[in-house]
Amino acid sequence: MSGTNLSEILFKPSFKLPETSTLVTRARHPGGQGPVLAALDGANPSNWYRMINRLLWIWRGVDAWEIEETLARIAASKAERTDDRLLDTVIGYRPGNWIYEWSHQGMAWQQKAMDEPQPEVSGEQWLKAANFYSIAAYPHLPGDQLAEQAETLANRAWEEAASRLSYQLKALTFPISGEGILTGFLHLPSEGNGPFPTVLVCGGLDMLQNDTYRLFHDYFAPAGMAMLTIDMPSIGFSSKWKLSQDSSFLHQQVLKAMADIPWIDPQRITAFGFRFGANIAVRLAYLESQRLRGVACLGPVVHALLTDTGRQDRVPGMYMDVLASRIGMAHASDAALKIELSRYSLKTQGLLGRRCPIPMLAGYWENDPFSPKEEATLIVSSSSSGTLLAVKPAPVYQNFHHALLNIRDWLKKN
């Protein structure tokens, strides 16, 4: 990164840009209908618009005390809010604003990284900066200009980190059916020359590519596996494409192109999906079974949440806002949104329920508000060789780690 601080170029004091919680205008209470706690999504305290996802933020490398310190600064702000009931709705890029406070923390780590002479230590500090910038942009709603600037900082910090760490990160471009070029990142183990068995990761709707680095570093790389990521439609490098009923559109074209990438073994490609990313991964299992050796998913969103209006009313408003914004219905009525979401169900589309020729694993938590056990069971029963993985609720961090180890080993075996 040049001597000029990119954050100073991107961020300038502004009080006129729309605040994040106002970008989706469907009729609903922004705080949701009640308390929700989910391992992959966090909690939705009644006085916050965003879900507070401590588990994944800590897992990604953010210190718990920094999370609490940043949240405390936001909560203590006396600045004007869009909604006085919601602490994270401070208007404008200034102290107390969600994007400001998390970016401020990221800038501190960025400065440490720039001053650190040891490459490996500097790389870890750049990673921390990337994590804070990504949280600043969360939940990555299209049209959130300040969030988009934070995403730019996150991606730059991530690339700076990769240039200093022992693993290789290769930026790849994929032509998308005459609609432009998509950028993805291939993570390669430090040992071996390849071609490597490779996992195509399909993240959640509120994740950037760099949010999955820990997945590669701690799980896939030690097993000699490469990892390829692309952003979900309407976010990050995929922001020009909205999410459609053909949810696997981008990933399908990338999967086809993977056979021509010299570091990837085309006979040993698997896919792994979180939350809505499982919708894409399972869809690939049906449409591109000849290119995949297996599909694993965790907390899948493939049918129930997309068709059950009662379940939709119970999940936090932020999550429904994310769904609405991704499919280009930020200003539609709730009734129209729910009708449209039902078309994204893989069961409604006539896929799930039919026999899938490749192995599929589905992990679930009991009483998951986003993905009931029946969701995972439906996936497993539709596979020619299905594996059901129950994840115990407590201790949450340890069991999440063990679930990822089990999934890694299952993918490696396949």
Side-chain angles (χ1 to χ4, degrees), residues 103-169:
S103 295
H104 178 78
Q105 207 72 18
M107 291 172 194
W109 281 106
Q110 174 179 308
Q111 190 59 53
K112 290 179 181 179
M114 294 173 71
D115 295 338
E116 173 57 53
Q118 298 183 49
E120 195 75 18
V121 176
S122 176
E124 293 294 338
Q125 293 170 337
W126 276 115
L127 272 180
K128 287 183 179 291
N131 281 325
F132 278 107
Y133 288 135
S134 178
I135 298 172
Y138 167 78
H140 311 286
L141 298 182
D144 193 340
Q145 295 180 42
L146 290 174
E148 289 168 2
Q149 292 173 13
E151 286 179 14
T152 299
L153 290 172
N155 287 323
R156 287 289 297 274
W158 183 41
E159 292 185 56
E160 291 286 345
S163 69
R164 292 163 170 81
L165 298 174
S166 59
Y167 300 106
Q168 296 184 63
L169 179 69

Side-chain angles (χ1 to χ4, degrees), residues 272-317:
F272 177 38
F274 289 93
R275 282 294 191 235
F276 196 91
N279 187 291
I280 291 173
V282 173
R283 205 168 189 275
L284 289 174
Y286 281 95
L287 302 182
E288 298 291 342
S289 58
Q290 74 280 11
R291 302 180 194 274
L292 288 170
R293 297 295 298 273
V295 163
C297 48
L298 193 57
V301 174
V302 294
H303 174 66
L305 182 62
L306 303 171
T307 58
D308 184 344
T309 58
R311 186 175 295 274
Q312 292 165 0
D313 290 338
R314 292 190 296 272
V315 300

